[in-house]
Amino acid sequence: MADLIKLSDNGDTRAQFILGDLYAKGKGGLVKNTDKAKHWFNQSALNGYGASFIRLGALAKNQGNMIEAYSWYDLGASLAGGKDARYAAKARDALKLSDADEDKADELSTAWRKERSAASDAREEAERAKRE
Protein backbone atom coordinates (compact mmCIF):
# COMPACT_ATOMS: atom_id res chain seq x y z
CA MET A 1 0.00 0.00 0.00
CA ALA A 2 2.88 2.37 0.75
CA ASP A 3 4.17 1.95 -2.81
CA LEU A 4 0.72 2.63 -4.25
CA ILE A 5 0.38 5.80 -2.20
CA LYS A 6 3.87 6.93 -3.22
CA LEU A 7 3.11 6.32 -6.90
CA SER A 8 -0.19 8.19 -6.51
CA ASP A 9 1.49 11.12 -4.81
CA ASN A 10 4.01 11.23 -7.67
CA GLY A 11 1.27 11.53 -10.30
CA ASP A 12 0.90 7.94 -11.54
CA THR A 13 -2.61 8.06 -13.02
CA ARG A 14 -3.25 4.33 -12.84
CA ALA A 15 -2.13 4.20 -9.20
CA GLN A 16 -4.38 7.18 -8.42
CA PHE A 17 -7.32 5.38 -10.03
CA ILE A 18 -6.61 2.17 -8.12
CA LEU A 19 -6.32 4.06 -4.83
CA GLY A 20 -9.62 5.81 -5.54
CA ASP A 21 -11.20 2.43 -6.27
CA LEU A 22 -9.89 0.93 -3.03
CA TYR A 23 -11.30 3.85 -1.02
CA ALA A 24 -14.60 3.71 -2.91
CA LYS A 25 -15.04 0.03 -2.09
CA GLY A 26 -13.32 -0.10 1.30
CA LYS A 27 -10.84 -2.71 0.13
CA GLY A 28 -7.11 -3.34 0.39
CA GLY A 29 -7.11 -2.66 4.11
CA LEU A 30 -8.59 0.81 3.60
CA VAL A 31 -11.79 2.01 5.21
CA LYS A 32 -14.47 3.04 2.71
CA ASN A 33 -14.15 6.80 2.29
CA THR A 34 -16.05 8.51 -0.51
CA ASP A 35 -14.23 11.83 -0.06
CA LYS A 36 -10.82 10.17 -0.45
CA ALA A 37 -12.12 8.13 -3.38
CA LYS A 38 -13.29 11.33 -5.08
CA HIS A 39 -9.94 12.98 -4.39
CA TRP A 40 -7.94 10.19 -6.02
CA PHE A 41 -10.32 9.73 -8.95
CA ASN A 42 -10.16 13.50 -9.52
CA GLN A 43 -6.36 13.46 -9.44
CA SER A 44 -6.38 10.62 -11.95
CA ALA A 45 -8.85 12.50 -14.17
CA LEU A 46 -6.76 15.67 -13.95
CA ASN A 47 -3.87 13.59 -15.25
CA GLY A 48 -5.95 12.20 -18.12
CA TYR A 49 -7.10 8.75 -16.96
CA GLY A 50 -10.45 8.33 -18.73
CA ALA A 51 -12.11 5.75 -16.50
CA SER A 52 -11.87 8.17 -13.58
CA PHE A 53 -14.59 10.36 -15.08
CA ILE A 54 -16.95 7.40 -15.12
CA ARG A 55 -16.22 6.55 -11.50
CA LEU A 56 -16.68 10.18 -10.42
CA GLY A 57 -19.99 10.25 -12.28
CA ALA A 58 -21.10 7.03 -10.62
CA LEU A 59 -20.18 8.32 -7.15
CA ALA A 60 -22.16 11.52 -7.74
CA LYS A 61 -25.13 9.57 -9.13
CA ASN A 62 -25.11 7.20 -6.15
CA GLN A 63 -25.20 10.24 -3.86
CA GLY A 64 -28.21 11.61 -5.75
CA ASN A 65 -26.35 14.52 -7.36
CA MET A 66 -27.46 14.12 -10.95
CA ILE A 67 -26.10 17.50 -12.08
CA GLU A 68 -22.61 16.62 -10.86
CA ALA A 69 -22.92 13.12 -12.35
CA TYR A 70 -23.92 14.61 -15.70
CA SER A 71 -20.90 16.92 -15.56
CA TRP A 72 -18.46 14.05 -14.91
CA TYR A 73 -20.00 11.86 -17.60
CA ASP A 74 -19.95 14.76 -20.05
CA LEU A 75 -16.28 15.42 -19.32
CA GLY A 76 -15.57 11.73 -19.81
CA ALA A 77 -17.47 11.71 -23.10
CA SER A 78 -15.34 14.56 -24.42
CA LEU A 79 -11.95 13.76 -22.82
CA ALA A 80 -11.69 10.03 -22.18
CA GLY A 81 -11.61 8.46 -25.62
CA GLY A 82 -12.51 4.97 -26.79
CA LYS A 83 -14.89 2.75 -24.85
CA ASP A 84 -14.69 5.00 -21.77
CA ALA A 85 -15.94 7.97 -23.81
CA ARG A 86 -18.76 5.91 -25.32
CA TYR A 87 -19.82 4.60 -21.91
CA ALA A 88 -19.68 8.09 -20.39
CA ALA A 89 -21.85 9.50 -23.19
CA LYS A 90 -24.48 6.78 -22.69
CA ALA A 91 -24.48 7.30 -18.92
CA ARG A 92 -24.77 11.09 -19.40
CA ASP A 93 -27.66 10.77 -21.84
CA ALA A 94 -29.49 8.29 -19.60
CA LEU A 95 -29.74 10.95 -16.87
CA LYS A 96 -32.17 13.00 -19.00
CA LEU A 97 -31.65 16.33 -17.26
CA SER A 98 -33.64 19.44 -18.02
CA ASP A 99 -31.98 22.11 -20.14
CA ALA A 100 -31.53 24.26 -17.02
CA ASP A 101 -29.82 21.42 -15.15
CA GLU A 102 -27.62 20.67 -18.16
CA ASP A 103 -26.54 24.33 -18.07
CA LYS A 104 -25.62 23.93 -14.39
CA ALA A 105 -23.65 20.80 -15.24
CA ASP A 106 -21.85 22.71 -18.00
CA GLU A 107 -20.80 25.31 -15.42
CA LEU A 108 -19.30 22.56 -13.26
CA SER A 109 -17.49 21.14 -16.30
CA THR A 110 -16.09 24.55 -17.19
CA ALA A 111 -14.83 25.05 -13.63
CA TRP A 112 -13.15 21.62 -13.67
CA ARG A 113 -11.49 22.35 -17.02
CA LYS A 114 -10.04 25.53 -15.50
CA GLU A 115 -8.78 23.50 -12.52
CA ARG A 116 -7.19 21.03 -14.95
CA SER A 117 -5.52 23.83 -16.87
CA ALA A 118 -4.14 25.36 -13.67
CA ALA A 119 -2.85 21.95 -12.51
CA SER A 120 -1.18 21.41 -15.87
CA ASP A 121 0.46 24.83 -15.68
CA ALA A 122 1.72 24.06 -12.16
CA ARG A 123 3.19 20.71 -13.29
CA GLU A 124 4.94 22.38 -16.22
CA GLU A 125 6.34 25.08 -13.94
CA ALA A 126 7.62 22.46 -11.47
CA GLU A 127 9.29 20.52 -14.30
CA ARG A 128 10.85 23.71 -15.62
CA ALA A 129 12.20 24.53 -12.15
CA LYS A 130 13.74 21.04 -11.86
CA ARG A 131 15.58 21.51 -15.16
CA GLU A 132 17.02 24.87 -14.11
Side-chain angles (χ1 to χ4, degrees):
M1 189 59 63
D3 289 340
L4 182 64
I5 292 169
K6 184 176 180 178
L7 286 168
S8 296
D9 286 338
N10 288 327
D12 184 302
T13 59
R14 178 92 170 121
Q16 291 167 337
F17 179 84
I18 292 168
L19 194 53
D21 190 56
L22 292 173
Y23 275 118
K25 295 175 180 175
K27 292 190 173 186
L30 299 175
V31 175
K32 185 174 181 177
N33 186 318
T34 303
D35 290 335
K36 287 184 179 181
K38 282 182 179 181
H39 167 78
W40 287 112
F41 286 137
N42 186 57
Q43 290 304 304
S44 183
L46 285 169
N47 289 312
Y49 198 75
S52 295
F53 296 102
I54 295 167
R55 294 303 302 277
L56 285 162
L59 286 173
K61 183 179 175 184
N62 289 339
Q63 292 178 325
N65 189 338
M66 299 309 155
I67 293 170
E68 183 181 345
Y70 186 98
S71 174
W72 286 120
Y73 290 139
D74 191 52
L75 286 163
S78 65
L79 298 173
K83 66 179 180 165
D84 290 333
R86 289 188 299 276
Y87 181 90
K90 287 180 184 178
R92 174 200 61 205
D93 296 344
L95 293 175
K96 300 187 186 299
L97 296 186
S98 68
D99 289 344
D101 284 347
E102 282 185 25
D103 290 343
K104 291 176 187 173
D106 288 344
E107 290 173 15
L108 292 176
S109 296
T110 298
W112 186 86
R113 287 175 189 268
K114 288 179 182 176
E115 177 186 351
R116 183 180 189 202
S117 179
S120 177
D121 291 347
R123 278 192 306 276
E124 288 176 15
E125 181 62 32
E127 288 178 22
R128 203 175 4 255
K130 284 181 185 178
R131 288 190 300 265
E132 294 175 355

